[in-house]
């Protein structure tokens, strides 16, 4: 593994350029489907219809952001992420490039921790970088793989569980029919929008989402917006 001193400003200057945002081709069709099948969705689409799910299409960066954001608030996660990018020499924020795999490998755990990461998360980021650098994830085949097959591959990486893998399917691959039942924000939004704030079981949430298929990702996104109108960056 390279030493922590081996990643320099010159390396940062040679890093990839910022990636363009893309949005799902199926979005408008999904909105029509949801509005027709579900009265709650009809209102949410009307309220937030100008919004879209966006992806920067950089797999490593998306997974790294998911690890950084685990078990902390979105505001705290964004702060740590900004410090991590600054540590990599990426400035200013509006022109930042994807997080470079080799840059993460070049930094030891102690150096990564200066961005505000816990020891465990710093170790997770390095393990993620090793999987990408050593070709242990089949990035070039994901577009042709089934959702569950991709999840099985990703959960072999330290720090990535089913929830993180499902977020990856949504925010990176933009798969249309993902329902992340382990997502507490989604369950809370279903409770508020469909059950007047009463507790909701996973089975009840799954039943509600049946009407959204084959666009459960889009239904999930609109329910997230019902609690937080500002979409999270991918």
């Amino acid at each position: 593994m390279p030493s922590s001193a081996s990643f320099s400003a010159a390396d940062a200057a040679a890093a990839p350029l910022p990636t363009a945002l893309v949005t799902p081709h199926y979005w408008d069709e999904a909105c029509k489907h949801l509005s027709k099948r579900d009265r709650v969705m009809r209102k949410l689409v009307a309220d937030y219809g100008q919004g879209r799910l966006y992806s920067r299409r950089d797999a490593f960066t998306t997974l790294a952001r998911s690890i950084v954001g685990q078990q902390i608030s979105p505001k705290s996660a964004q702060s740590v992420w900004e410090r991590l990018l600054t540590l990599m020499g990426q400035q200013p924020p509006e022109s930042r490039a994807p997080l470079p795999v080799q840059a993460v490998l070049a930094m030891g755990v102690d150096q990564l921790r200066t961005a505000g990461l816990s020891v465990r998360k710093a170790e997770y980021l390095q393990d993620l970088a090793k999987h990408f650098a050593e070709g242990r994830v089949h990035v070039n085949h994901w577009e042709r793989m089934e959702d569950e097959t991709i999840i099985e591959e990703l959960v072999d990486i330290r720090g990535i569980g089913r929830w993180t893998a499902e977020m990856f399917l949504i925010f990176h691959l933009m798969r249309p029919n993902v329902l992340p039942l382990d997502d507490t924000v989604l369950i809370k939004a279903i409770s508020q929008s469909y059950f007047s704030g009463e507790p909701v079981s996973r089975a009840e949430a799954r039943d509600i989402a049946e009407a959204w298929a084959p666009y459960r990702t889009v239904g999930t996104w609109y329910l997230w917006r019902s609690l937080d109108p500002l979409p999270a960056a991918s």
Side-chain angles (χ1 to χ4, degrees):
M1 181 184 300
S3 70
S4 60
S6 64
F7 183 70
S8 64
D11 297 314
L17 294 174
T19 48
L21 293 171
V22 294
T23 195
H25 65 85
Y26 54 77
W27 198 265
D28 289 337
E29 178 60 31
C31 289
K32 293 177 184 176
H33 173 84
L34 293 172
S35 296
K36 185 181 298 184
R37 297 287 301 275
D38 187 302
R39 60 177 179 77
V40 171
M41 284 295 146
R42 187 180 309 121
K43 181 179 186 306
L44 292 178
V45 169
D47 288 345
Y48 305 106
Q50 297 304 309
R52 290 291 187 275
L53 170 68
Y54 290 102
S55 171
R56 296 185 184 277
R57 305 300 280 172
D58 181 74
F60 179 73
T61 300
T62 301
L63 288 168
R65 284 193 71 119
S66 293
I67 289 172
V68 168
Q70 289 173 2
Q71 298 180 330
I72 59 176
S73 71
K75 183 176 180 180
S76 296
Q78 183 64 25
S79 177
V80 173
W81 184 255
E82 294 286 331
R83 293 201 299 271
L84 180 61
L85 291 180
T86 299
L87 186 63
M88 300 295 169
Q90 296 191 25
Q91 292 286 353
E94 61 270 16
S95 63
R96 281 174 169 156
L99 190 68
V101 173
Q102 293 301 325
V104 175
L105 285 176
M107 293 186 175
V109 169
D110 288 343
Q111 192 168 2
L112 288 171
R113 288 192 66 201
T114 64
L117 293 165
S118 66
V119 172
R120 182 167 294 179
K121 285 186 181 180
E123 292 173 346
Y124 289 168
L125 284 182
Q126 290 210 319
D127 188 57
L128 175 67
K130 288 177 184 177
H131 273 75
F132 273 76
E134 296 170 6
R136 286 188 273 161
V137 286
H138 300 90
V139 179
N140 294 329
H141 300 287
W142 279 337
E143 292 290 348
R144 300 186 297 276
M145 290 166 61
E146 297 291 331
D147 289 357
E148 286 300 322
T149 305
I150 296 170
I151 289 173
E152 289 174 8
E153 181 168 292
L154 292 176
V155 297
D156 281 338
I157 303 171
R158 291 183 63 198
I160 295 182
R162 184 177 181 87
W163 177 85
T164 302
E166 288 173 335
M167 293 302 104
F168 180 78
L169 291 177
I170 292 172
F171 286 103
H172 176 69
L173 294 175
M174 298 190 296
R175 293 293 174 93
N177 202 33
V178 180
L179 181 67
L181 291 172
D182 292 327
D183 187 79
T184 56
V185 178
L186 172 62
I187 297 300
K188 179 179 179 181
I190 290 175
S191 169
Q192 292 192 3
S193 293
Y194 292 89
F195 294 89
S196 302
E198 293 297 316
V200 176
S201 69
R202 289 167 59 93
E204 289 170 327
R206 187 182 291 109
D207 287 345
I208 287 292
E210 282 299 316
W212 312 342
Y215 300 114
R216 294 187 296 179
T217 292
V218 184
T220 295
W221 189 91
Y222 277 111
L223 279 167
W224 281 338
R225 297 288 69 74
S226 74
L227 297 184
D228 180 7
L230 184 64
S234 64

